[in-house]
Amino acid sequence: MATPINFFRGDAPYALTVAYTVPESNTAIVTNIVAANPGTAAGSVTVKLGGVPILPTVGIAQQGVLTLEINQVLAEGEVIEVQGSGSTCTLHVSGVEVV
């Protein structure tokens, strides 16, 4: 059964941080990533899926938004890592968890 889930939602931390780990006997599918920069200076975000950068320090202009529609599968034990720098950037990473 597939259950919609928010893997991460909030301010992007300054250090690369594990936001989600796929639970035992599950699979996760990341379908959407939205990055926003409500600040007055440029910033950047990094998102790694299973250790692979999907957004490798991507710049976000002041007052800018980036949306990414994807279908990336993560296996049991793999992680989603997030990071932001510069201006305060926010991230929303969502998809489904399959049991």
Side-chain angles (χ1 to χ4, degrees):
M1 171 191 272
T3 304
I5 188 170
N6 292 321
F7 298 115
F8 181 84
R9 180 186 288 171
D11 292 337
Y14 286 108
L16 189 63
T17 302
V18 173
Y20 172 83
T21 303
V22 180
E24 186 176 324
S25 301
N26 286 11
T27 301
I29 303 169
V30 177
T31 58
N32 305 88
I33 300 173
V34 178
N37 179 0
T40 57
S44 65
V45 295
T46 297
V47 177
K48 291 184 177 184
L49 304 179
V52 178
I54 191 100
L55 294 175
T57 316
V58 173
I60 309 292
Q62 64 184 28
Q63 306 295 310
V65 176
L66 170 119
T67 60
L68 182 62
E69 303 287 325
I70 59 175
N71 287 299
Q72 295 296 309
V73 178
L74 297 171
E76 172 185 324
E78 291 189 303
V79 298
I80 297 171
E81 297 169 286
V82 297
Q83 181 178 14
S85 64
S87 184
T88 301
C89 292
T90 60
L91 281 167
H92 178 95
V93 182
S94 64
V96 294
E97 192 174 74
V98 182
V99 178

